[in-house]
Structures are given as structure tokens and as C-alpha cells.
Amino acid sequence: MSSEFGKIVKVSVFGQSHGRAIGVVVDGLPAGEAIDLEELNAFLDRRRPGKSALSTARKETDLPAFLSGLEDGKTCGAPLCAVIENADQHSKDYSGLKEKPRPGHADYTASVKWGGHADMRGGGHFSGRLTAPLCVAGGIAKQILARRSVYAGAHLYSAAGIPDEPFPLYPTQTLFASIAEKAFPVLDGGAGERMQAAILDARNSLDSVGGVIECAAIGLPAGLGDPMFDGIESRLSAALFGIPAVKGVEFGAGFSAAALRGSENNDPFTMENGQVRGKTNHAGGILGGITTGMPIVFRAAVKPTPSIGQPQQTISLATRENAELTIHGRHDPCIAHRAVPVVEAVTAIVLLDLLLEGNHGTF
Amino acid sequence: MSSEFGKIVKVSVFGQSHGRAIGVVVDGLPAGEAIDLEELNAFLDRRRPGKSALSTARKETDLPAFLSGLEDGKTCGAPLCAVIENADQHSKDYSGLKEKPRPGHADYTASVKWGGHADMRGGGHFSGRLTAPLCVAGGIAKQILARRSVYAGAHLYSAAGIPDEPFPLYPTQTLFASIAEKAFPVLDGGAGERMQAAILDARNSLDSVGGVIECAAIGLPAGLGDPMFDGIESRLSAALFGIPAVKGVEFGAGFSAAALRGSENNDPFTMENGQVRGKTNHAGGILGGITTGMPIVFRAAVKPTPSIGQPQQTISLATRENAELTIHGRHDPCIAHRAVPVVEAVTAIVLLDLLLEGNHGTF
Amino acid sequence: MSSEFGKIVKVSVFGQSHGRAIGVVVDGLPAGEAIDLEELNAFLDRRRPGKSALSTARKETDLPAFLSGLEDGKTCGAPLCAVIENADQHSKDYSGLKEKPRPGHADYTASVKWGGHADMRGGGHFSGRLTAPLCVAGGIAKQILARRSVYAGAHLYSAAGIPDEPFPLYPTQTLFASIAEKAFPVLDGGAGERMQAAILDARNSLDSVGGVIECAAIGLPAGLGDPMFDGIESRLSAALFGIPAVKGVEFGAGFSAAALRGSENNDPFTMENGQVRGKTNHAGGILGGITTGMPIVFRAAVKPTPSIGQPQQTISLATRENAELTIHGRHDPCIAHRAVPVVEAVTAIVLLDLLLEGNHGTF
Amino acid sequence: MSSEFGKIVKVSVFGQSHGRAIGVVVDGLPAGEAIDLEELNAFLDRRRPGKSALSTARKETDLPAFLSGLEDGKTCGAPLCAVIENADQHSKDYSGLKEKPRPGHADYTASVKWGGHADMRGGGHFSGRLTAPLCVAGGIAKQILARRSVYAGAHLYSAAGIPDEPFPLYPTQTLFASIAEKAFPVLDGGAGERMQAAILDARNSLDSVGGVIECAAIGLPAGLGDPMFDGIESRLSAALFGIPAVKGVEFGAGFSAAALRGSENNDPFTMENGQVRGKTNHAGGILGGITTGMPIVFRAAVKPTPSIGQPQQTISLATRENAELTIHGRHDPCIAHRAVPVVEAVTAIVLLDLLLEGNHGTF
């Protein structure tokens, strides 16, 4: 079982980039939740391509059709299915790719696994386009969470090695909303301009760049999650690595914690207005796999788009000899900024799942 | 469900640090696998404390008793249960901790979740001691894998910010074996001495340090794994974050890939002796969640041991006021080096599970 | 998670009876499997209503549209999504049902669970109509299995208390095919006529009847399945009870075994043409949850259609007083005969899942 | 994964009949639940053999040792592990069985699956003895449920074809308690005497008999469960078929519903003291997979003990020729009466799991 995650709320993604349609089934949503389709569309708009030279020229209107689970604007308890028709594919751009796998893509591994039957036009089921239905599911989860004062927000923490500011100790819903309104999702506008210049520079060199996304979630109670393999980190990371191109996930201080001393990395507890708080949040809001009540904070590393216009060395699956490949077609010189809402979406789904599962510590 | 992972091979860990015993049930092991108990014990010895000033003085003989699943030295198909009796606990060192949660530990989150019923002596179920039964399960998985020429090996990639050499492009079984024989698991002995000095220095300051573990797996065929949420990264990370103190996981170039260009990060395919290989392995052996046939390579960040001897600020759960805490007892100034075999163990379990599940791409 | 089952092959059903569409996502199908759509349609035809006075007059053309997973007539490895548009609904027949739950239906329990937000028009997500996408998934599984000489076939073992002949000790593919061609799926045509007369008699009395379906599967190797809770009986029964109206499942001699002596019920082993066989098959092809190599045989009890035209006593959810209800609209006087292919479909999915999972006994 | 079930509360059973020990890990129990060990032992006593000529003479003291999860008499949130040492095995009674599989047992299927490595002494992991740790888990679940006024009780509905009375429409906690106190678990003492005579008669003929167990659960709210494959029937049946020798499960009217008309089988709703009730309970308390608030009622068919003293025909796995087998040793002429508390135990675990999962219909 590959394209699904979740325990109470199960999200199952289907579709290939150039197939008839892509979509998602969300099973386990609570009933009676009003879904604001305009708000959902505004969320989907944040990952849509075709808006500037920073991303692929492929047009995606991406208006989902709801086949089930949503009646009179509210969830009805039954599994929700949303479908997005594919259009504006340029499949001929991909002719020849079946024979010559693109470096950094799943073309080769899919050909080994599925023995040549794989539909890899446009990346097939591995395409970043599959994140559109993920965002439909996540956008719905975000609306349900917001009604319970739980919010997830993300920004581009770095791109092409250029850093944004990190989130403050206590990110707010207002901060999340302000990022969501920006054309380029950073805290520091100046950093954002330098990132965009670097992306365009890469594009002009027929190249691409990667980035790191920082995400925070606020409003969760302490005590959610479980020890060991069902902890918050395990659940979030398993879902986040399902986003194409994510190659690293770290919580709180993450990799930098490994170079700190315990006296630096431990977050002292303190009482604030009757609440137990951390003076710092190197734990990223998670101790022993369980929420502390501090914001959950993590970062996901997104590799540079593997589709680049430069000639690349590969092999021919037919002749099993070395070969050269030049990829044509429209590609994103960077996908990290478009992946920001995707990370929010996946996070929202995991958090909704956790909240519905409940604490279960006591009964 | 917290303390279990796996799909075909399921590993369920139980026990509290100062309870009667800790142990593991491994369900789904293939039958007829001879288990060399001396070899297993040698593996367990790699994580055992009490061997030097680098780790806690707590003695753990940790010889597991096999209650089921192993008959006449071979697995018999039925679930295997291994139990390690607890001994040499100093529970009184932990009196008072129930009231004053230790920063960086799960004391507070467990108290929220389990409402004061948690057995947190010595960290309870969250203790690093629970990695002993994990190593029993993983050591068995390693023996089964080795018979199929699949090997996982790890080393301390950095400690206290001091770097070891990285693994070469093609780590070998011989290299893994040479690390396993070392008292301190590094490639570069000089770096290892500097790391050990830093650990002892932290110990002398009543402090602790963290580290990063690099792990590689060789011998896997291409085509294992699944797209999206059941990819190799998702499965490995979910298991790895179950190891106490792991706060980051990255595959291949990981976070550093985010600062590379696509032309740098893409691994060109090339034919070598009739095999499809990468000229580099920034992908860490995984594209689209599926093995490429190159070594799987990843790193896990281990935070500095939260138990330190310095006075720390915390709160009183009884009075809900700020409080000071000084932790007594025996503690590891660094657990990253002892976590090296634990990472190997968890990796071996996940890989065995993947191999038993099979490719399933075609039928 | 409600509307899904399977381990390697996961089947997720969505839709409400009177919503926009119903459908199914099948994740984990092997790639490269040719699907004969005519053969699939012929299979779907077996459960289609509207063919005679024996079933509802609702027309269901039920031609599925494949949104993903099927390219050029073959599975491509990616999740398969098939959608069937809803049409010919007579939703107004159901006005008033929201207030007065129909006895024997899920109207009341759904209203408790989903708090009035349930879309129960035509039974909503609980409708027998949801078995159409199940048959799409199962029809595909049947074709994949047939290529490996594994076949599942079923007949109406009894209806309205009138018995058909039981399956012989070794049912054959030919026998299954002959039943599939019949308008009424029985072995003994005379019994079938008496059953049909009883169904029409019930219809004329504004009433309905139930039935028992016997299903067999041939061609499976011995050694599939697992002990205890993941045995063949556990997996099949969990899936079969997911078919609306199924209230009992028994394997082999089943309930009648409880009245036999061990000397009667034990199946003596015997060698036949070098194969281990049972002289009888009271075990239904399963011992200890694992296949014996004999045909798998089980029966599923289908209750009489709860929708009947007679006035019935119920309550008003609005006034919480007793009330009378008369259901209008088109209903099946018996669904057991239409459920025969559904049982085959579910069985085929479970068996494909088992075969893909493999034996795993040894490695 | 074979020997485990549950979603929030996971029960994993391990051990072989003649191995060192058998036991169970229960993960996900709520913390702070006091467990009365005397009450637990009294429950375990109900399935213990050796009490009369009705069951095997094997002595099982079966006092479980709690290795984890239970501190100071209360659950502590961490996984609970209970172990029962094996003793009084007569393994030599089983010599030769490895070569000649016993009809009706898992000897043959285990030998196919595990290739001769299976430990089948005394039935190995397939032995009814494995129901002892299941009863430990279930006995604990029963105590936790009773504190919430949820009760499961069972009786021997029939044995050797001799019927007991069925449960009344509303079984009570008092009725359950009165059965639990009886040496032979029936409602009608006269029927019980006839059953016992039939069991002894079978024993004297070196034969065995089966039986049917009826179980009811009271105190559950309406609205628990999920549609289709995660409904109450699916969950309970998957767990119940995990009990060795269970070959059929039916809910409410079950198989007899198939011979009723809809007007007879539908349960009219009625208001009673402000509660929605059924005038009858042919649905067994479940509609659409979801609880109605009426008692859950089901029956499980237990086949006659396959171990009988008469000579039986089997094969030699060594020579692959027909062979005769006479089983020596101590065996139960009937296990159905001892399986009564086992059915209660499994039911209690499933119900606790369901209650902890919650309704999730609305949020």
C-alpha cells in the first residue's frame, strides 16, 4: 500500500500526471464540517504553477470535483472523493523518456518495479502534480482544525542556500495568514527577493535549485501522540517523506542539536500565566513522541528539481549502454516555494488524525 | 499503538527502565533461520553501557531469554519473544522526578498523557534502555539479512560537532565489520579520539553532547519500496524517529541537497559491468521511494543526553510553580555512539520487512 | 477507517447512493495486467438490477470510468481509480426517511453517528449500490487470478429457505463458468425456479426474502495465510461482513460442524496423484488459518432486504415518539442472488492480496 | 503479521504449547486502571483444564507474571506484558506427529508454511493453550469495561447438537455473573447435564464433540463502529476467527435470518423510557456496521476437538504415502465449554478498542 496514510483519517491519493484525472479519497472525516470552497481554492492557488517565471508554465486550474462525502457544503461522514481532471498535458515532451530514465527522477526505479508498464509521462504517479489532491485533503483538514483553533503554517526557510528568518518562538495565526497572502512565502521580503533572483538565475542556466521549508503548528494540547514508533515525529516524517523531493526532516533544533550540549539544548520548563511552557523550543514541541503544548516546529529539505534543461548523462534501458539525455518541456526551476502549502497540507492531515484519535492516555 | 512497527515483520517493544523486565515480540520472522547467539551477544555488546567513562556506569548484562519462537537455535515461524530482566536499577535516584519533570525528557509529556500513573523511574518506557530489546530484534534481522548478502552498517558521523569521514560511495561489508570491532565506532581514529575527548570534557562539566549517525545498507535489489507514503524514506524515518533522542533524519545529500543545483544533485546513471549505477549517490539509493540498487545512505541526528548533572530550571507539577532540579544518578554524557548499533538494528528490521514484502511491482 | 480493506492490495470504496458518483481506489495492483473490459462488464452485469421482477427497477448501466491506474488496457502500477456516475436516482422517494429511520437499515445508526449530517438518500454510503465499485475491483482481481489458475465462484445456496445443491468436493472452473452464465445463479435449476417463485411471492406480499451464498476458491497453494488473527478465516470474514446485509459467515462444515463428532468432522489426509488431499473438506480448505490446498469453501448469510412495502413501526427522530412508516420506491424483493458476484468479488480481492503477500513461512 | 489484533488497543500473543512460556503484549491500554488480580484469576479459572473429566488432564496453573505495564496494581500506560510459564508438558506424546500430521489440526499446513521448522509439539503456536494469554488480556479489558458499565457474557448455546436456551432480549450483568459462577456455562441446567453426558459419551468412544457459543455485550452506546469493512461485525469476526477451532460466526438472527421474510426479520423501532429500542433484535445490535444501542449478540461455532483417540487415516510427510495415526496423550473431548470465557475475552478486547477509538462521527 503506497499512496495512503493516516489512522482515523485516511488519505489515499491516485492519478498519474498525464492520465485522465488525479484525485484523493479521504475516509474518516467527521461529519457536519462546512467546507468553504473559496477558501479551499485560495489555498490550492498557493501551490498552483503558471503564475510566474519561478515555476512551470503548465496551467493547472485544478478545480476539484467532489464526487462524494460533501453534500450541501458539509461533510456527510461518508468517504470524500475529490477529482481534478488533467488538462494541458504535453505528453509528447516525454516521448523517449521511457527509454532514457531522467537522473533524479523515479523513471528508472519505476521501470524496475513495474517492468516497463509504468505510465511515466510527466513523472506519472510520482509527479509533483499529485500534491494537488494532497492539498485538497489538507485544505479541508486546515478548515476543520481552524474551527478548533489549531493552525499549521510554513515558510521557505531557505532556497538556493539563501536563508529566511526562522519562525519566532511563538508563531501566530496572524503570521501564518500573512505568509499565505504573499506571492513568495518568506518572512523576510529581502531574503525572498534574493531567493527569487537565485531561482531565475538557475532557470537561465537551464538549472534548478532546492530549498528548506519550515513549518509550525499551534493550538495543539499537550499529551497527544505516543511513545516510540507512533510518536509525532514518526507520524509526521512518514507523511512528509511522501511528498516528492523531500529528502530530510528535522524537528526543533534537529541536526543542529547534535552539536549542542545538553545544557544548551534542554528546554527549561517555566510557568507562564498558569501554563507549563518551555523557555526555548529546541524539542520542536515534542518530547518522547508526545506534544508538550509548545508549537510543533520542523523543517523539510526539498531537493532541487531534477528536471533541468542541460544535457545529462544517463543510460538507455533498451541497449543498456550509456546515453545522453536532454529534457525538453516546461519545468519548475524550483519547487520548494510551491511545496510550502503542501507541507502545511500534509501536516494538517496528520494533526487532524491525531486529534481525532485522541489522547487515550486515560479513559 | 505506540511501541510497534513493521508490516510483515512486526516488532513490538515492551518494558519500563526500572520495571521487572523489558523485551520484544517479533512476529512474522521466517522459519528455519539459525540464530547465532554469540554473534547476537557481540552485537548487543556494542550498545551496552558500563564499559568506559563515555557512558553510564549502569551495568547491563542484557542476556535475553527467548520465551518463544526460537527452538533448537532456529526460528520456528511462531512469534519470537525475548525478555531481558531488569537489574542494577537505582530507583531512588529518581525519587522526586515525578514531581519535577526533567527538561528534555518525556517526564512532563508522559504525566500529561497518563495522568500521573506513568512509571517514569529511569525514564520508564521512554528510556534508552528500551533500545536493548530493539537490538535483539535487529541483531536477529541482521543475521537473516547477511545470509542474503544484505548488510547494514553505521558509524558516528559527528559528535559534539566534530566530524568523522563520511562513508565512501560504496561501503562494504568489510568496512562495516571493521567499525563493529572498534571500541568507538568511527572511520577516522583521530576524529574518534577528538570526539571522545569532547565527550569526557562534557562529562567533567556535568554536561552532555549529541551526535549524528550515518548508516548505509548494501546488497538490496533495485525496485523495493513504494511511491509516496510507503516509500523507503517514509518507512525508515518512521522507525528511526522511534529511537529515543533522534530529532532529524536525512537521506543521501539530505539537507545539503537543498543548497545544491539540480545539475549537481542529480546522480547521472551509468553502466558498470552490466549494472545500472549512479556516478554519485546524492539520492541515498532511493528515487521515488524505491531503491535504485545503489547503497541506501542516511543520517540520524541524536540530541545531547538530556540527563545532565547541572542544576536546571523546571517546574513543580504539584505546586505549578517554577522550581530547580538537579539530577543525580549515573548518566551517559553522550548516547550517540551507543545509538550506532541501534540505528543498524532498526534499519535491519525495516529492510527485512521490505524484502519479505517483496517488490509486488509485477506478479 | 471504514470503507477499505486489504494489506498489499488495498481497496477503498467511496460514494453515496444518490450522490454524484460512486467508485473505488485499488492501490497495490501489480503492473502489466491486461484487463478485458468486456469480461469485466459481463461480470458487473451479474449484479446489475433492473433485469427482471426479481430485483429493483432502478437502471444501473454502471460503466466505470477509469481515472487512473489503467493505461492502454493494462494496469500501470499506480493506484487504479474507477468511477461510476450516479443516475436514475429517485431521491424524492426518500424524503421523510431522514426523520423516520427504516427498520433494518442503517438510517438510525448513521443518524446517531453522524448527527443528522448523513446523506442517507437511497441508503447513502450504506447502500447495496456501493457493491458495484466493489465488483469493479473484484472483477479485475478475478482476471488477474485467472491468469494464475486461481478461481472463485459462488452460487445461491439457499433462498427463502429453499436449498440448492451444495458445491461438490472439487468444484471446477467450468462449474463456476456455467453458474456465471445463468440468469439465476444456482446449481439445481429446479431449486432455482422454486426460489424465484418464492421471491416473486414475497414481492407480491410487499415483502422480501433472504438467502445464503456458498462460495469456493480453487487453485490456491497450501501454506497461504497465518495463524490466529491473520488467518484466512479472519481476513475473509472481515471483508465479507463489509458487504451490506451479510450477517453470518461459516467455513467448511461451519455451524453444522458443532454438531458433529471429531471422528466425523476431521478430514482424513490421503495421497492422490502425489498430492496431499483431504478425503472430505469439512475444514473448508483451512487449518490453523492456513490453506490446506483443498478448495476454500464458505457460506455467507444474507438477510432479507430491509426495504419492504408494508407499513412498519418505527419512531420519529424529531418528536421521539412511535411512528408508522411505509417505504415507497423501487426495491429488491431479494438481494441474495445479486450478492453472489459481490461475494466472488470480495473473495477474489482477498485472495489476490494473500497471493501477493506470499507465504513468508520461509525466506 | 499473524498473532495480533486491534487498532488502539493492540493484543499480540506469543508462545508455543510446549515452549518455555506463552504470553501476551497489550499495547494501548489506558493508564491508571486498577486490575484486580484475584478477579482476573477467577476469570482465567473458567477456561482452565484439568478440573473434570470433561477436559484434558493437563494441569495449568497459569498464573501470569506481569513483566511490564502494571505497577502497584494499576496500568501505567506503557505496554503490558504478561507471561505464563509452560509446565506439565508431555512432549513425548507428540513424537512422531511431525511426520504424520493429525487430521483437523494445523500440523500439515504449518509444515507446508514453515518447511519443517515448525514447533508443533502440543499444537505449537496453534494450540488452544494460546487462549490463556488471550484471556489475560481479555480479563483485563473486562475489568476496564465493567468500570464503564459495559459487560460481555457468553454461554454454551449448544454442544453435541443439544441446545441451551438462547439469551433473553435483554441479558443483564446479573445473568452474565450467574453463568460465570457455574461449573458448566449454560442457562438451562438440564440442558447442561445432557451436554455433559454427551461429552463424556464421546470421550468414552475416544471421540469428541463441538458446540456453539452465544455471546452478548451490553452497555455500549449507539453509534460505535463504521460502515463497510470496519464495521462491528468485521472487527469482531476477524478477532473471533483467531480463536482456534472457531469455524462460523453469525450476528443476531444470522443464518436463520436468511430464511425469514423482511417483515419478520426487521426489528421495529420503538421508544422505551425515552430511549430508542428495537422490539426484537434480529440485527444483533448492529445496523450498517454500527451499534444500535441494543445488546450486541452473536454466536460462534466451535468444531469438535480434532485430537481423538481413535485411529485415523493420514499421510507420512516423509514417505508421502498413506499412513495410520493414533494420537495418545491427554485431550479435551470438547473445548467449546472452555472456549466460552475465551469468546468473552476476545469480545471485551474488541469492545474496549472500539470505545477508545471513539465515535468520530462528529468532532
Side-chain angles (χ1 to χ4, degrees), chain C residues 8 66 95 102 104 119-121 159 168 170 178 183 216 226 253 317 324:
Chain C
I8 305 292
F66 291 93
S95 61
R102 293 170 298 171
D119 170 19
M120 294 308 289
R121 296 168 298 158
Y170 289 104
S178 73
D226 282 285
L317 291 172
E324 199 183 80

Side-chain angles (χ1 to χ4, degrees), chain A residues 47-127:
Chain A
R47 77 157 281 289
R48 278 206 186 92
K51 292 179 297 188
S52 77
L54 296 171
S55 57
T56 172
R58 179 172 179 176
K59 295 276 187 303
E60 296 184 355
T61 48
D62 282 354
L63 285 174
F66 292 92
L67 303 189
S68 67
L70 194 67
E71 300 296 329
D72 301 327
K74 287 191 178 177
T75 57
C76 69
L80 179 149
C81 178
V83 169
I84 301 172
E85 301 282 326
N86 280 330
D88 197 32
Q89 308 103 311
H90 288 198
S91 289
K92 69 168 183 283
D93 290 341
Y94 293 89
S95 60
L97 291 187
K98 205 155 184 171
E99 198 215 330
K100 292 186 194 170
R102 292 169 297 170
H105 275 286
D107 301 353
Y108 173 64
T109 54
S111 79
V112 173
K113 187 173 182 71
W114 291 330
H117 306 289
D119 170 19
M120 294 307 289
R121 296 167 298 156
H125 186 57
F126 300 84
S127 166

